[in-house]
Amino acid sequence: MRIFKLFFLLLSFCQVAHSQNAKLKKANKLFMDRSYVQAAAIYEEIDIPDSLLVNLADAYYFNSNMAKAAENYSKAIASKADTSNEVYFKYAQALYGIDNVTKADSMMSVYKDRNIQTPSFINKVNLANPFIYNLKPITEGSQSGDFGITYFGDQLAFSSSRNADGSVYNWNEKPYLDLYTATFNENGTLEDIVPFNDELNSKTHESSAILTKDGKTMYFSRTGDKRVKIGDQKIATVRLFKAQLIENEWSEIEELPFSSEFYSIQHAALNNDNSKLYFSSDMPGGKGSFDIYYVDIAGDVYGNPINLGPSINTSKLEQFPYISESGDLYFSSNGLQGLGGLDIFVCELNNFQWSTPLNLGNVINSNLDDFSFIVNIEDNTGFTSSNRDGKDQLYYFTRDKNDRKLIVEGFVRDKNTKDILPETMVTLLDENNKAIDSFQVGEDGRYSFRVKPYSKFKIEGYRPFYIPSSVDFETDDSGKIELNIELEIESYDDAEELIVEKEDGYIYIELENIYFDLNKWDIKPNAGKTLDILVNLMEKYPRMEVQLGAHTDNRSSYDYNMILSDNRAKSAMNYILSKGIPANRLTSKGYGESQLLVDCGENCTEEEHSINRRCEFIIKK
């Protein structure tokens, strides 16, 4: 009997194990097929090995369930099942998505290998932005799953998963996307919403429709109707199509020649004269996941795709390009520093070069995905899309000009030792060398100023006993929110062999001794040559201040020697003043016999007396 019980227990265990393995195999297949909702549900039913925690986290991440994604990325990192940079990146993005900014910054700092501080970044981009935005959701006429509004003649076009009668997309178990037209009224609602015809809206996804200036050609994205094996997965790529308006119907739909079943091309945008078509693609040879490209258009002929380069494209996602009437490029990226997920950036085209991308700040951008930005520059209104509330939704905005400011900041260091120099005075000057602001750095040696864009400035560091150093800079790049300028200043004694710091703590200019005739204080020719060296130094360093000290030997009375040395110090100072050195940079003092170098009493040799008779030059500042 006991044997039978053991047999049934073993059989039951084997059945459970078989069931677990079958479910795990099914979940893995669903994951590879990008059926993420179903895959996550099965993974949650069973005890998955640590090696699959990233799969589970990814399944949630790709559907913006950031709480669950963060939970499972954390487990994967803790188990050391996967500690790749990519996991740290997605974990950070998931943490941003649930407003755990401090921890997200910590993870993103690991990924980027530099210190990330989002609150400081937000303050800077809000200062630097040329516009202040007011954003509102479109609550009437729009619904969850709408995104990507574009100007479409006198109307608007947008993408939506609102077709409940259509097929369901396994990725998120929502209907496939179709394209619609609508009008937008002054009350902030969408009206007259009409789907495009069935020839244009297929059984797969359509999105991102744009119209040429003549209103006769439309470009749009469409997902292929068959999947092709790329690597370990079968993928249906996104291609670009165009359609012609014939007798008020969109027809003659054809795929653009540079599309492919082996990589995606999507999110078309046109420049003002319709001579260039911009798009996002993960074609081979790019900088990363998806990059922004353009092709030249000449009639029905399209040039080769040209990558916009590393100033815009990163190793992550760059998508949803849009060219405004002023020629500015707006696009979304999660590879540039942002607030979480996709953020919207803007670049200006200057001398055929795109400026540094500028994040649009924390009104337009959120801790989740923000994308599909368009703007009417005449009235400063526009539209954008976001899933900041957990679902894709359409928004409209107004904007006003901002008195924008950039940040220039950095540290002050010793040029030779590289040590931080506290209490250094840093001054910001305009292009006419007029001081605008000044700041004395603290123990951290750090300074920071706000400056206007498109201007020329100079920044100068000054500290007693150091040579002032300055750096010229321009704020001519619209996308830069901060300029890091490290000031290095050099001490007098490092810069000049004649200048030394002695054990008494004073900094001396070591010149040949000045000799005076007995009981005289007039400057002899040889003494003048020595003092000329000092004059040259003070001309070279206009902020140097010097004290001239004269000393006597111990012959004659104490009072007589004090008067004699004072006269000799004043005589040397007057000589230097005669050479044009300002009086406020010089002081003189006679020490008499009060600071003998050789205290030999009444039995001094002539050599010892000569050592005591001297002039010293001490740098006071």
Side-chain angles (χ1 to χ4, degrees):
M1 192 68 176
R2 193 171 181 184
I3 293 174
F4 281 114
K5 285 183 179 179
L6 289 172
F7 172 76
F8 283 119
L9 283 172
L10 182 61
L11 180 62
S12 176
F13 175 79
C14 290
Q15 288 173 336
V16 169
H18 178 75
S19 175
Q20 291 277 316
N21 288 336
K23 287 184 176 181
L24 185 59
K25 186 176 180 180
K26 183 178 180 181
N28 287 338
K29 185 178 186 306
L30 287 166
F31 183 85
M32 293 300 291
D33 289 342
R34 300 188 174 191
S35 298
Y36 294 122
V37 174
Q38 296 178 56
I42 297 175
Y43 281 139
E44 291 284 18
E45 288 179 12
I46 58 180
D47 292 327
I48 61 173
D50 291 345
S51 59
L52 291 177
L53 284 169
V54 171
N55 276 17
L56 178 56
D58 284 349
Y60 287 122
Y61 178 85
F62 292 136
N63 279 298
S64 297
N65 186 340
M66 295 308 189
K68 283 287 190 179
E71 175 187 334
N72 287 285
Y73 286 132
S74 177
K75 290 178 181 177
I77 291 172
S79 70
K80 298 184 178 179
D82 191 339
T83 56
S84 64
N85 258 5
E86 183 65 18
V87 171
Y88 279 104
F89 173 80
K90 288 185 287 191
Y91 183 31
Q93 293 286 17
L95 289 166
Y96 286 126
I98 58 175
D99 280 328
N100 191 343
V101 176
T102 301
K103 193 167 185 179
D105 282 349
S106 176
M107 292 299 107
M108 193 60 78
S109 297
V110 172
Y111 170 75
K112 290 184 176 288
D113 195 26
R114 61 183 177 88
N115 188 30
I116 302 296
Q117 293 184 331
T118 297
S120 173
F121 175 75
I122 290 172
N123 289 335
K124 290 172 183 176
V125 297
N126 286 343
L127 278 172
N129 262 286
F131 294 98
I132 299 171
Y133 289 87
N134 178 37
L135 186 71
K136 292 182 180 180
I138 300 175
T139 55
E140 293 188 39
S142 180
Q143 63 186 48
S144 173
D146 294 350
F147 73 92
I149 272 188
T150 56
Y151 297 118
F152 205 80
D154 294 332
Q155 293 182 297
L156 297 167
F158 67 95
S159 311
S160 178
S161 60
R162 63 176 61 205
N163 183 8
D165 296 329
S167 301
V168 172
Y169 183 37
N170 287 335
W171 180 302
N172 55 15
E173 295 192 333
K174 293 179 180 179
Y176 277 83
L177 297 168
D178 284 335
L179 286 167
Y180 296 79
T181 59
T183 56
F184 184 73
N185 68 26
E186 294 178 355
N187 298 324
T189 63
L190 286 181
E191 295 178 343
D192 306 320
I193 300 170
V194 179
F196 282 87
N197 60 34
D198 290 341
E199 187 175 355
L200 195 143
N201 280 330
S202 70
K203 293 181 179 180
T204 66
H205 295 297
E206 281 80 29
S207 64
S208 303
I210 59 167
L211 192 64
T212 55
K213 279 189 178 296
D214 62 10
K216 295 179 180 180
T217 303
M218 177 206 309
Y219 294 96
F220 65 96
S221 302
R222 175 185 283 174
T223 304
D225 56 6
K226 68 174 183 177
R227 294 190 298 169
V228 176
K229 190 168 185 181
I230 303 173
D232 295 331
Q233 293 181 307
K234 282 189 173 182
I235 297 170
T237 60
V238 183
R239 295 91 178 273
L240 282 185
F241 290 77
K242 73 174 179 179
Q244 303 296 332
L245 186 63
I246 300 174
E247 296 181 356
N248 293 321
E249 286 290 335
W250 290 104
S251 59
E252 296 190 8
I253 297 170
E254 60 179 286
E255 184 177 333
L256 296 188
F258 50 89
S259 288
S260 171
E261 63 180 2
F262 295 105
Y263 51 82
S264 289
I265 292 182
Q266 57 193 13
H267 308 152
L270 287 163
N271 67 342
N272 291 332
D273 63 5
N274 292 181
S275 63
K276 295 184 188 298
L277 180 69
Y278 292 79
F279 56 88
S280 178
S281 176
D282 62 349
M283 67 176 61
K287 306 299 178 186
S289 177
F290 271 82
D291 285 1
I292 296 176
Y293 295 78
Y294 75 89
V295 294
D296 291 311
I297 305 174
D300 292 328
V301 178
Y302 299 89
N304 295 320
I306 298 174
N307 190 294
L308 291 196
S311 65
I312 289 174
N313 292 316
T314 70
S315 62
K316 297 301 178 186
L317 297 173
E318 277 71 48
Q319 297 178 310
F320 300 97
Y322 168 74
I323 306 293
S324 72
E325 287 289 327
S326 59
D328 296 336
L329 167 66
Y330 293 85
F331 67 98
S332 291
S333 171
N334 67 356
L336 299 167
Q337 186 172 357
L339 283 63
L342 290 169
D343 274 19
I344 300 168
F345 295 79
V346 63
C347 297
E348 293 180 0
L349 189 61
N350 299 314
N351 297 320
F352 305 103
Q353 295 288 328
W354 292 107
S355 65
T356 302
L358 173 64
N359 188 296
L360 292 194
N362 67 338
V363 174
I364 289 295
N365 292 317
S366 69
N367 59 334
L368 288 168
D369 291 328
D370 305 282
F371 50 99
S372 293
F373 178 100
I374 63 173
V375 64
N376 182 335
I377 64 170
E378 291 184 3
D379 62 7
N380 281 317
T381 63
F383 299 88
T384 190
S385 306
S386 178
N387 69 351
R388 65 186 63 196
D389 291 328
K391 57 186 181 298
D392 288 343
Q393 190 169 349
L394 298 172
Y395 292 79
Y396 72 100
F397 64 79
T398 59
R399 67 183 191 180
D400 298 302
K401 287 188 176 180
N402 182 27
D403 182 20
R404 60 189 300 239
K405 296 285 191 298
L406 311 181
I407 303 295
V408 56
E409 60 185 11
F411 297 90
V412 186
R413 300 180 186 274
D414 185 289
K415 181 179 179 180
N416 296 289
T417 67
K418 307 303 179 185
D419 291 338
I420 291 292
L421 294 176
E423 299 180 1
T424 300
M425 184 62 70
V426 180
T427 302
L428 177 71
L429 304 102
D430 64 16
E431 61 183 325
N432 298 314
N433 278 331
K434 181 181 178 182
I436 301 170
D437 198 1
S438 60
F439 180 79
Q440 188 175 48
V441 304
E443 291 299 318
D444 61 358
R446 190 174 189 85
Y447 70 88
S448 178
F449 296 107
R450 294 182 182 183
V451 295
K452 292 182 179 180
Y454 305 109
S455 302
K456 295 180 179 180
F457 298 95
K458 178 186 289 185
I459 195 158
E460 180 188 76
Y462 170 70
R463 175 185 171 91
F465 310 112
Y466 277 76
I467 304 162
S469 176
S470 63
V471 176
D472 294 304
F473 66 95
E474 294 184 39
T475 55
D476 58 353
D477 192 332
S478 67
K480 287 186 177 178
I481 62 171
E482 62 183 11
L483 295 93
N484 289 294
I485 299 176
E486 188 161 299
L487 284 172
E488 291 188 334
I489 57 177
E490 188 173 28
S491 63
Y492 289 130
D493 56 317
D494 281 333
E496 300 288 346
E497 290 185 4
L498 291 174
I499 300 176
V500 295
E501 182 176 1
K502 295 188 176 180
E503 292 181 359
D504 60 7
Y506 290 109
I507 298 173
Y508 292 82
I509 302 171
E510 290 197 318
L511 302 175
E512 289 185 14
N513 205 357
I514 296 176
Y515 293 98
F516 297 90
D517 289 335
L518 183 65
N519 297 325
K520 304 280 186 170
W521 51 83
D522 54 305
I523 300 298
K524 299 172 72 174
N526 285 340
K529 291 179 181 179
T530 299
L531 291 175
D532 285 340
I533 297 173
L534 177 58
V535 169
N536 291 335
L537 270 179
M538 297 189 74
E539 287 176 343
K540 184 177 180 180
Y541 303 120
R543 292 192 184 179
M544 180 184 285
E545 296 181 12
V546 175
Q547 181 192 83
L548 286 73
H551 301 262
T552 67
D553 57 32
N554 60 357
R555 290 180 288 192
S556 299
S557 70
Y558 182 90
D559 291 339
Y560 178 84
N561 285 334
M562 287 296 290
I563 294 170
L564 179 62
S565 63
D566 190 56
N567 286 335
R568 286 176 173 176
K570 286 178 180 177
S571 181
M573 185 177 77
N574 288 332
Y575 179 88
I576 295 170
L577 291 176
S578 73
K579 300 295 184 178
I581 301 300
N584 61 355
R585 296 176 56 198
L586 288 166
T587 56
S588 66
K589 187 171 182 178
Y591 290 92
E593 59 185 83
S594 65
Q595 295 183 7
L596 297 174
L597 292 180
V598 182
D599 191 1
C600 47
E602 296 180 359
N603 300 310
C604 297
T605 65
E606 281 303 318
E607 182 180 357
E608 289 170 332
H609 281 309
S610 68
I611 293 173
N612 287 328
R613 290 194 308 273
R614 67 195 186 279
C615 272
E616 293 177 332
F617 309 94
I618 299 175
I619 298 176
K620 302 301 289 185
K621 196 173 180 181

